């Protein structure tokens, strides 16, 4: 296992202390976080039993400052798709840092051009032009601006439970839980999967429909077969753009490079946050079909951001794309996903009644339990046993399970063993509670 040596890094003073934080006392650091950063967040983390501070991290595991080890099946929604500190990405990052810095976002850039070219080769049809941002929210902002600028329309249609970020426009598209202040009337939310509501909402005043293919924060509800066909038809009829956000489900998570491939739908705009960062460096992208570039030809500087598409980030994202497109990568994800699905089916056979539904594809799972807060109950039971996963915040009856895509068969077996033990505890406890209530 790789050991991490702070003393090799030439920094002084408090910066050095921050790097050498692994020797810090966990309780002291949590106290410092509460005192100077956010007491509210510490309280919330405590309620969820996530009140620890990650220290060492390596591959699929993290250790807190007290030395407790967790398999990371949260993967921060895709940031850690390739595990923590993946060696190939680290090497690319080191090489980039040795040669250059962020770059100047107003100027042209070779790493940005190379990354955009690579994406256009990896995306279908004429999805050709790209913008790079620092977050999923930023690239979704960019997509919404494109749709509005191109059409001259304001309305954005989204689906209940989808999440696109917590910034100005994306907060409006993400709906109730995320909005501070009033919802802008131009943002229309329809029930997820409701074809009638969709047909009523998408009209000749709609600039775009923005959606996830398999809504992550909504517990990975699987879309009905005809859903995307109809969405695309309605967008084409009304002249609205279809923006598909692949942040949690793209880059190999579902056993394909892009999850939308499974539904034979070509979006007008694709956005991806999290995964391109390769665990190390914030970068996200938004790619649109060639004809839609008309708007940016008229207003090429309409969306700028100092750190967006930094030269270093582009090198990291290129290294991520190299790794996930290597021969055998998707087959590995599919095989590990099938192994995990078999494990969950066996758990359900042995402890019937607790799991209501397992949804998923590739190494993406939503485990729905028998009550409204079941996702939190399961994540707590897993955490106690050294597995980090989180309830779907827009559907807390479900726990999201996203093991890193580099997980091997032995890792999957370990994950299944933890889930078995956790679900056994919950099934027995809920069974006892039902007996007492009867
Ligand atoms: C599907 C999806 N889109 C966008 C975002 C926002 O990304 P970021 O947190 O990088 O702004 C998220 C974050 O969880 C997400 O899950």
């Amino acid at each position: 296992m790789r050991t991490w040596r702070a003393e090799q890094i030439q920094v002084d003073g408090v910066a050095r202390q921050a790097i050498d934080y692994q020797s810090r006392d966990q309780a002291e650091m949590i106290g410092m976080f509460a005192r100077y950063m956010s007491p509210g967040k510490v309280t919330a983390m405590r309620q969820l039993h996530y009140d620890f501070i990650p220290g060492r991290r390596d591959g699929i595991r993290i250790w807190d400052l007290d030395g407790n080890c967790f398999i990371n099946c949260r993967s921060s929604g895709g940031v850690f798709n390739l595990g923590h500190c993946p060696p190939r990405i680290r090497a690319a990052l080191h090489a980039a840092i040795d040669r250059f810095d962020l770059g100047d976002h107003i100027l042209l850039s070779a790493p940005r051009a190379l990354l955009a070219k690579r994406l256009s080769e990896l995306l279908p049809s004429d999805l050709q032009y790209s913008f790079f941002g620092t977050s999923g929210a930023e690239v979704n902002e960019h997509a919404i601006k494109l749709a509005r600028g191109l059409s001259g329309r304001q309305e954005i249609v989204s689906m209940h439970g989808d999440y696109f970020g917590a910034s100005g426009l994306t907060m409006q598209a993400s709906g109730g839980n995320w909005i501070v202040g009033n919802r802008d009337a131009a943002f229309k939310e329809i029930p997820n999967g409701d074809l009638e509501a969709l047909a009523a909402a998408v009209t000749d005043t709609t600039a775009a429909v923005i959606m996830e293919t398999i809504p992550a924060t909504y517990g990975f509800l699987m879309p009905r077969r005809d859903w995307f066909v109809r969405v695309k038809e309605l967008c084409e009829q009304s002249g609205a753009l279809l923006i598909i956000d692949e942040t949690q489900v793209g880059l190999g998570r579902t056993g394909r490079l892009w999850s939308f491939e499974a539904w034979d739908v070509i979006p007008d705009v694709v956005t991806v946050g999290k995964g391109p960062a390769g665990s190390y460096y914030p970068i996200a992208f938004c790619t649109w079909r060639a004809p839609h570039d008309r708007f940016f030809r008229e207003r090429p500087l309409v969306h700028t951001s100092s750190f967006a598409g930094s030269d270093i980030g582009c090198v990291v994202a290129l290294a991520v794309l190299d790794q996930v497109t290597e021969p055998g990568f998707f087959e590995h994800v599919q095989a590990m996903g099938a192994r995990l699905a078999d494990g969950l089916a066996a758990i359900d056979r042995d402890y019937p009644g607790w799991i209501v539904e397992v949804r998923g594809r590739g190494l993406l799972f939503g485990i729905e339990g028998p009550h409204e807060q079941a996702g939190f109950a399961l994540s707590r039971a897993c955490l106690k046993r050294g597995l980090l996963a989180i309830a779907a915040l827009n559907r807390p009856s479900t726990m999201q399970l996203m093991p890193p895509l580099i997980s091997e068969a032995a890792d999957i077996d370990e994950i299944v063993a933890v889930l078995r033990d956790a679900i056994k505890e919950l099934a027995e406890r809920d069974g006892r509670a039902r007996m007492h209530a009867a």
Side-chain angles (χ1 to χ4, degrees):
M1 191 171 296
R2 195 172 52 83
T3 53
W4 186 79
R5 290 179 189 284
E7 59 277 13
Q8 288 172 345
I9 298 167
Q10 301 298 308
V11 285
D12 292 310
V14 180
R16 184 184 187 105
Q17 284 179 31
I19 292 166
D20 204 12
Y21 64 102
Q22 286 177 70
S23 59
R24 304 298 289 249
D25 179 72
Q26 178 149 282
E28 180 204 337
M29 292 310 296
I30 293 173
M32 197 186 289
F33 194 102
R35 184 162 179 140
Y36 297 107
M37 189 133 186
S38 172
K41 180 148 188 178
V42 169
T43 304
M45 290 295 111
R46 204 159 267 152
Q47 279 161 0
L48 293 171
H49 301 264
Y50 299 140
D51 51 333
F52 61 89
I53 293 192
R56 186 154 73 89
R57 50 205 87 177
D58 192 0
I60 68 163
R61 285 161 223 274
I62 57 175
W63 288 257
D64 72 9
L65 295 186
D66 285 344
N68 301 305
C69 179
F70 303 93
I71 299 179
N72 191 350
C73 285
R74 190 176 117 63
S75 293
S76 191
V79 175
F80 305 114
N81 273 345
L82 300 179
H84 288 273
C85 308
R88 285 174 58 170
I89 312 302
R90 190 170 66 243
L93 178 62
H94 273 157
I97 286 173
D98 284 346
R99 284 165 184 74
F100 41 73
D101 56 16
L102 289 169
D104 181 334
H105 70 116
I106 290 286
L107 302 182
L108 307 181
S109 144
R112 253 179 274 149
L114 285 162
L115 177 57
K117 174 172 182 286
R118 184 92 169 99
L119 285 170
S120 83
E121 289 161 359
L122 292 173
L123 281 158
S125 181
D126 55 355
L127 281 153
Q128 180 178 342
Y129 294 104
S130 288
F131 165 81
F132 303 115
T134 47
S135 67
E138 187 183 8
V139 291
N140 281 326
E141 292 276 327
H142 193 266
I144 292 171
K145 283 188 186 178
L146 166 60
R148 285 182 161 179
L150 198 63
S151 64
R153 306 171 183 174
Q154 287 299 295
E155 278 176 25
I156 304 295
V157 173
S158 61
M159 281 101 203
H160 178 77
D162 280 11
Y163 179 72
F164 305 104
S167 60
L169 297 173
T170 59
M171 148 180 104
Q172 294 290 339
S174 297
N177 286 344
W178 314 100
I179 296 177
V180 178
N182 294 330
R183 187 164 209 174
D184 183 329
F187 285 82
K188 305 214 171 319
E189 185 181 276
I190 62 161
N192 222 307
D194 184 334
L195 285 176
E196 253 177 57
L198 181 76
V202 181
T203 67
D204 59 6
T205 55
T206 309
V209 173
I210 184 166
M211 61 191 298
E212 298 180 78
T213 47
I214 310 173
T217 310
Y218 206 32
F220 300 125
L221 284 194
M222 295 305 287
R224 44 191 284 180
R225 194 71 240 156
D226 52 353
W227 180 232
F228 291 100
V229 177
R230 193 68 189 122
V231 174
K232 182 73 184 173
E233 264 172 21
L234 284 166
C235 284
E236 277 171 359
Q237 281 163 19
S238 64
L241 294 196
L242 173 58
I243 303 168
I244 287 193
D245 178 338
E246 287 263 319
T247 294
Q248 298 221 21
V249 293
L251 294 180
R253 173 60 61 184
T254 63
R256 302 165 182 258
L257 185 54
W258 313 113
S259 77
F260 62 76
E261 291 173 87
W263 286 278
D264 288 328
V265 65
I266 309 284
D268 293 291
V269 186
V270 177
T271 60
V272 182
K274 293 182 185 281
S279 108
Y280 273 116
Y281 204 92
I283 182 155
F285 64 83
C286 167
T287 303
W288 53 96
R289 294 187 47 219
H292 305 324
D293 194 54
R294 199 162 27 91
F295 172 61
F296 292 123
R297 293 186 190 197
E298 285 159 18
R299 304 198 46 192
L301 299 181
V302 72
H303 186 99
T304 66
S305 173
S306 302
F307 303 149
S310 79
D311 287 351
I312 291 170
C314 290
V315 173
V316 165
L318 278 163
V320 169
L321 291 174
D322 280 351
Q323 188 165 342
V324 302
T325 54
E326 266 196 347
F329 189 89
F330 303 138
E331 289 77 6
H332 175 79
V333 173
Q334 287 158 15
M336 294 305 107
R339 194 176 182 100
L340 214 162
D342 285 349
L344 283 165
I347 295 171
D348 189 40
R349 274 196 302 278
D350 293 344
Y351 306 103
W354 197 87
I355 298 178
V356 170
E357 189 177 30
V358 174
R359 298 180 287 271
R361 201 160 264 193
L363 269 173
L364 174 90
F365 292 90
I367 305 173
E368 178 137 356
H371 54 84
E372 229 175 64
Q373 299 294 314
F376 282 117
L378 181 55
S379 73
R380 205 164 302 146
C382 287
L383 199 63
K384 262 192 337 204
R385 295 165 169 87
L387 188 147
L388 177 64
I390 191 171
L393 294 181
N394 284 343
R395 193 183 178 89
S397 55
T398 297
M399 187 182 86
Q400 299 171 325
L401 190 75
M402 297 177 72
L405 306 181
I406 53 152
S407 301
E408 296 292 344
D411 303 322
I412 299 295
D413 294 347
E414 210 179 322
I415 292 166
V416 169
V418 170
L419 288 166
R420 167 175 285 277
D421 209 30
I423 289 171
K424 175 175 184 285
E425 177 197 311
L426 296 175
E428 286 172 358
R429 199 178 66 196
D430 290 353
R432 270 198 306 277
R434 270 196 302 274
M435 257 167 54
H436 285 304

